[in-house]
Amino acid sequence: MTASRLPLPMAYADPAFEACIAVALDTPELITQFDRLYGARLMSGKPSKADMRGFVGFVHRCLYLAVSDECIHSMRMKAVSFPHGATPP
């Protein structure tokens, strides 16, 4: 079964996109390389709104749209199984 992907800004409502953002933000090397490639300052601790929008767009294009359908389904199932505030085992 093919997993649908949503365009921005509708993707904000997709738990799979939320998971992609969370993983990206928890990967310092990804953020460092994003800063280097795009001239952003996310790692500086005071990113601009434009830098954040650029990073979200980057995550959308390079992670959310690129991961396999299986990964998208898995991320959505985990979101249903462990709603906000719950801790997976």
Side-chain angles (χ1 to χ4, degrees), residues 2-89:
T2 302
S4 63
R5 309 303 198 287
L6 300 171
L8 280 176
M10 293 179 352
Y12 287 112
D14 185 356
F17 183 59
E18 185 177 324
C20 288
I21 293 285
V23 167
L25 289 173
D26 198 32
T27 309
E29 181 65 22
L30 178 69
I31 297 169
T32 299
Q33 294 306 322
F34 174 83
D35 282 353
R36 182 181 67 81
L37 292 169
Y38 290 89
R41 295 184 3 215
L42 297 178
M43 291 299 280
S44 73
K46 295 184 180 185
S48 69
K49 287 182 182 182
D51 287 347
M52 290 305 296
R53 273 190 237 112
F55 186 69
V56 167
F58 170 80
V59 170
H60 185 264
R61 284 186 316 278
C62 298
L63 296 178
Y64 177 71
L65 296 178
V67 298
S68 70
D69 290 344
E70 182 179 284
C71 288
I72 293 292
H73 287 301
S74 175
M75 287 184 277
R76 288 176 181 156
M77 289 304 295
K78 284 181 184 175
V80 171
S81 300
F82 303 102
H84 294 291
T87 305

